[in-house]
Amino acid sequence: SLDGVIVTWEASPSEDVAAYRVYRTFEGETQVIAEVPAGEDLRYHDKAVAPGSRYSYAISAVDSSLNESEVIPTEEVKVERRAIPVTFTVTVPDYTKEGEGDVVIAGDFGTDTLPFWDPAGIVMTQLDDQHWTVTLEIPEGAKLQYKYARGTWDAVEKGAECEEIANRTLTVEVPEGQSELLVDGDVIAKWRDLDKCG
Protein backbone atom coordinates (compact mmCIF):
# COMPACT_ATOMS: atom_id res chain seq x y z
CA SER A 1 0.00 0.00 0.00
CA LEU A 2 1.00 3.67 -0.14
CA ASP A 3 1.58 3.49 3.64
CA GLY A 4 4.53 1.14 3.17
CA VAL A 5 5.30 -2.55 3.47
CA ILE A 6 4.56 -4.64 6.56
CA VAL A 7 7.09 -7.46 6.95
CA THR A 8 6.05 -10.37 9.22
CA TRP A 9 7.89 -13.56 10.16
CA GLU A 10 7.69 -16.72 12.26
CA ALA A 11 9.38 -16.87 15.67
CA SER A 12 12.67 -18.74 15.80
CA PRO A 13 12.49 -22.12 17.62
CA SER A 14 15.73 -21.20 19.45
CA GLU A 15 15.39 -20.39 23.18
CA ASP A 16 18.05 -17.69 23.14
CA VAL A 17 16.73 -15.11 20.66
CA ALA A 18 17.24 -11.52 21.77
CA ALA A 19 16.11 -9.75 18.60
CA TYR A 20 15.34 -10.11 14.92
CA ARG A 21 17.24 -8.17 12.29
CA VAL A 22 15.29 -6.90 9.24
CA TYR A 23 17.18 -6.45 5.97
CA ARG A 24 15.88 -4.63 2.89
CA THR A 25 17.29 -5.03 -0.63
CA PHE A 26 16.55 -2.32 -3.18
CA GLU A 27 18.26 -2.05 -6.60
CA GLY A 28 20.88 -4.59 -5.57
CA GLU A 29 21.85 -2.88 -2.32
CA THR A 30 21.09 -4.62 1.00
CA GLN A 31 20.98 -2.87 4.36
CA VAL A 32 19.76 -3.53 7.89
CA ILE A 33 16.69 -1.35 8.43
CA ALA A 34 15.54 -2.49 11.88
CA GLU A 35 16.13 -4.66 14.93
CA VAL A 36 12.93 -5.88 16.53
CA PRO A 37 13.16 -7.21 20.13
CA ALA A 38 12.15 -10.87 20.47
CA GLY A 39 8.84 -11.57 22.13
CA GLU A 40 7.18 -8.47 20.69
CA ASP A 41 4.89 -8.37 17.69
CA LEU A 42 6.92 -10.11 14.97
CA ARG A 43 6.42 -7.49 12.31
CA TYR A 44 8.09 -4.37 10.97
CA HIS A 45 6.39 -1.53 9.09
CA ASP A 46 8.75 -0.15 6.43
CA LYS A 47 7.46 3.28 5.46
CA ALA A 48 10.57 4.34 3.51
CA VAL A 49 9.41 2.88 0.20
CA ALA A 50 8.36 4.45 -3.09
CA PRO A 51 5.31 3.44 -5.19
CA GLY A 52 6.27 1.54 -8.32
CA SER A 53 9.53 0.21 -6.83
CA ARG A 54 10.41 -3.41 -5.96
CA TYR A 55 11.91 -4.42 -2.62
CA SER A 56 12.90 -7.70 -1.01
CA TYR A 57 13.37 -8.34 2.67
CA ALA A 58 15.22 -10.86 4.82
CA ILE A 59 15.11 -11.70 8.51
CA SER A 60 17.73 -13.11 10.88
CA ALA A 61 17.62 -14.01 14.57
CA VAL A 62 20.24 -12.59 16.94
CA ASP A 63 20.98 -14.21 20.31
CA SER A 64 22.02 -12.57 23.57
CA SER A 65 25.71 -13.05 22.66
CA LEU A 66 24.99 -11.19 19.36
CA ASN A 67 25.45 -14.33 17.26
CA GLU A 68 23.35 -14.03 14.12
CA SER A 69 21.44 -16.89 12.53
CA GLU A 70 21.16 -17.62 8.84
CA VAL A 71 19.41 -14.79 7.02
CA ILE A 72 16.03 -15.97 5.66
CA PRO A 73 14.80 -14.09 2.58
CA THR A 74 11.15 -13.20 1.98
CA GLU A 75 9.36 -12.79 -1.32
CA GLU A 76 9.98 -9.70 -3.41
CA VAL A 77 7.38 -6.99 -2.90
CA LYS A 78 6.22 -4.40 -5.42
CA VAL A 79 4.83 -1.29 -3.77
CA GLU A 80 1.68 -0.16 -5.55
CA ARG A 81 -0.57 2.80 -5.02
CA ARG A 82 -4.02 1.63 -4.04
CA ALA A 83 -6.83 2.47 -6.44
CA ILE A 84 -9.59 4.68 -5.07
CA PRO A 85 -13.14 4.71 -6.49
CA VAL A 86 -13.79 8.32 -7.51
CA THR A 87 -17.41 9.16 -8.38
CA PHE A 88 -17.91 12.25 -10.54
CA THR A 89 -21.44 13.68 -10.73
CA VAL A 90 -21.80 16.74 -12.96
CA THR A 91 -24.71 19.17 -13.33
CA VAL A 92 -25.37 20.10 -16.98
CA PRO A 93 -27.61 22.80 -18.54
CA ASP A 94 -31.23 21.59 -18.83
CA TYR A 95 -31.13 21.89 -22.64
CA THR A 96 -28.24 19.38 -22.94
CA LYS A 97 -30.68 16.67 -24.09
CA GLU A 98 -31.40 18.71 -27.23
CA GLY A 99 -27.84 18.12 -28.41
CA GLU A 100 -26.08 15.10 -29.81
CA GLY A 101 -23.96 12.76 -27.76
CA ASP A 102 -23.68 11.52 -24.21
CA VAL A 103 -21.80 13.48 -21.59
CA VAL A 104 -18.19 12.30 -21.37
CA ILE A 105 -15.38 13.01 -18.91
CA ALA A 106 -11.97 13.47 -20.59
CA GLY A 107 -8.61 14.09 -19.01
CA ASP A 108 -5.34 12.83 -17.64
CA PHE A 109 -6.32 10.44 -14.85
CA GLY A 110 -2.81 9.35 -13.90
CA THR A 111 -3.37 5.74 -14.99
CA ASP A 112 -2.52 3.67 -18.07
CA THR A 113 -5.92 2.00 -18.14
CA LEU A 114 -8.09 5.10 -18.74
CA PRO A 115 -8.15 6.99 -22.07
CA PHE A 116 -5.88 10.06 -22.20
CA TRP A 117 -7.78 13.28 -23.06
CA ASP A 118 -10.30 11.49 -25.28
CA PRO A 119 -13.55 13.49 -25.66
CA ALA A 120 -15.39 10.27 -26.54
CA GLY A 121 -13.52 8.00 -24.14
CA ILE A 122 -15.36 7.74 -20.83
CA VAL A 123 -19.13 7.98 -21.25
CA MET A 124 -21.04 8.94 -18.12
CA THR A 125 -24.42 7.54 -17.02
CA GLN A 126 -27.41 9.89 -17.15
CA LEU A 127 -29.25 10.20 -13.82
CA ASP A 128 -31.85 12.76 -14.97
CA ASP A 129 -32.10 15.77 -17.34
CA GLN A 130 -29.37 17.66 -15.50
CA HIS A 131 -27.10 15.09 -13.87
CA TRP A 132 -24.61 12.57 -15.24
CA THR A 133 -22.29 10.32 -13.21
CA VAL A 134 -19.40 7.88 -13.54
CA THR A 135 -17.14 6.06 -11.05
CA LEU A 136 -13.48 5.56 -12.00
CA GLU A 137 -10.72 3.63 -10.20
CA ILE A 138 -7.82 6.08 -9.86
CA PRO A 139 -4.50 5.66 -8.01
CA GLU A 140 -4.37 7.35 -4.61
CA GLY A 141 -2.36 10.57 -4.72
CA ALA A 142 -2.88 11.08 -8.48
CA LYS A 143 -3.22 14.71 -9.58
CA LEU A 144 -5.91 14.81 -12.28
CA GLN A 145 -6.82 17.33 -14.94
CA TYR A 146 -10.13 16.89 -16.71
CA LYS A 147 -13.03 18.48 -18.61
CA TYR A 148 -16.49 17.45 -19.70
CA ALA A 149 -17.48 17.12 -23.37
CA ARG A 150 -20.04 15.32 -25.52
CA GLY A 151 -18.04 13.03 -27.78
CA THR A 152 -15.96 15.72 -29.51
CA TRP A 153 -14.00 18.85 -28.61
CA ASP A 154 -16.55 20.80 -30.71
CA ALA A 155 -19.00 19.99 -27.89
CA VAL A 156 -16.75 20.77 -24.91
CA GLU A 157 -17.86 22.68 -21.81
CA LYS A 158 -17.38 26.48 -21.78
CA GLY A 159 -17.67 29.23 -19.18
CA ALA A 160 -20.73 31.42 -18.54
CA GLU A 161 -19.57 33.98 -21.12
CA CYS A 162 -18.65 31.29 -23.67
CA GLU A 163 -15.02 31.66 -22.63
CA GLU A 164 -12.49 28.82 -22.62
CA ILE A 165 -12.16 27.46 -19.09
CA ALA A 166 -9.09 26.03 -17.38
CA ASN A 167 -8.88 22.28 -16.93
CA ARG A 168 -10.60 21.10 -13.77
CA THR A 169 -8.14 19.66 -11.27
CA LEU A 170 -8.38 17.09 -8.48
CA THR A 171 -5.91 15.37 -6.18
CA VAL A 172 -7.15 11.90 -5.26
CA GLU A 173 -7.07 11.89 -1.46
CA VAL A 174 -9.70 10.08 0.56
CA PRO A 175 -11.03 11.68 3.77
CA GLU A 176 -10.17 9.77 6.96
CA GLY A 177 -12.49 6.84 7.53
CA GLN A 178 -13.81 6.80 3.95
CA SER A 179 -12.95 4.43 1.14
CA GLU A 180 -14.12 6.49 -1.84
CA LEU A 181 -14.07 10.04 -3.13
CA LEU A 182 -17.19 11.90 -4.28
CA VAL A 183 -16.89 14.83 -6.70
CA ASP A 184 -20.35 16.33 -7.02
CA GLY A 185 -19.78 20.09 -7.22
CA ASP A 186 -18.96 20.34 -10.94
CA VAL A 187 -21.43 22.48 -12.89
CA ILE A 188 -21.28 23.07 -16.64
CA ALA A 189 -22.23 26.64 -17.57
CA LYS A 190 -22.41 26.27 -21.36
CA TRP A 191 -21.62 23.90 -24.22
CA ARG A 192 -19.49 25.09 -27.14
CA ASP A 193 -21.89 23.76 -29.79
CA LEU A 194 -25.32 24.25 -28.18
CA ASP A 195 -24.52 27.79 -27.01
CA LYS A 196 -22.80 28.66 -30.29
CA CYS A 197 -19.60 29.62 -28.49
CA GLY A 198 -16.83 30.44 -30.97
Side-chain angles (χ1 to χ4, degrees):
S1 83
L2 206 54
D3 303 331
V5 174
I6 294 175
V7 184
T8 59
W9 59 91
E10 298 285 319
S12 165
S14 166
E15 299 283 313
D16 185 26
V17 176
Y20 294 92
R21 210 166 267 165
V22 182
Y23 292 83
R24 177 179 65 210
T25 303
F26 174 59
E27 293 183 343
E29 194 174 309
T30 301
Q31 61 187 49
V32 176
I33 56 170
E35 279 206 5
V36 177
E40 288 191 15
D41 197 12
L42 298 185
R43 59 193 284 153
Y44 176 71
H45 190 171
D46 184 10
K47 295 184 178 179
V49 294
S53 298
R54 292 184 178 276
Y55 301 88
S56 51
Y57 296 86
I59 309 294
S60 68
V62 180
D63 69 16
S64 50
S65 306
L66 299 183
N67 297 311
E68 185 174 7
S69 76
E70 179 188 359
V71 177
I72 309 292
T74 66
E75 290 178 19
E76 185 180 65
V77 179
K78 182 173 185 203
V79 180
E80 308 237 4
R81 292 178 181 222
R82 65 184 179 136
I84 303 294
V86 182
T87 299
F88 296 86
T89 302
V90 62
T91 303
V92 301
D94 58 8
Y95 50 83
T96 298
K97 59 185 180 294
E98 295 160 22
E100 294 291 315
D102 292 324
V103 177
V104 172
I105 187 168
D108 176 1
F109 298 101
T111 166
D112 300 338
T113 55
L114 294 172
F116 183 78
W117 285 111
D118 180 353
I122 302 171
V123 176
M124 303 180 76
T125 301
Q126 186 169 7
L127 298 174
D128 57 38
D129 280 355
Q130 284 197 265
H131 298 94
W132 291 70
T133 189
V134 69
T135 300
L136 305 175
E137 296 276 330
I138 299 177
E140 186 172 25
K143 292 181 176 1
L144 316 184
Q145 295 194 46
Y146 64 99
K147 275 188 174 168
Y148 297 99
R150 293 187 349 279
T152 162
W153 293 122
D154 291 334
V156 70
E157 61 174 318
K158 291 287 192 172
E161 304 298 320
C162 265
E163 75 275 17
E164 189 71 38
I165 57 172
N167 293 338
R168 298 176 186 268
T169 58
L170 174 70
T171 299
V172 179
E173 290 169 343
V174 179
E176 193 65 42
Q178 294 183 18
S179 58
E180 61 178 347
L181 187 58
L182 302 176
V183 180
D184 56 11
D186 290 347
V187 177
I188 295 173
K190 291 194 170 173
W191 292 113
R192 179 175 177 180
D193 58 337
L194 296 178
D195 291 289
K196 302 191 170 31
C197 301

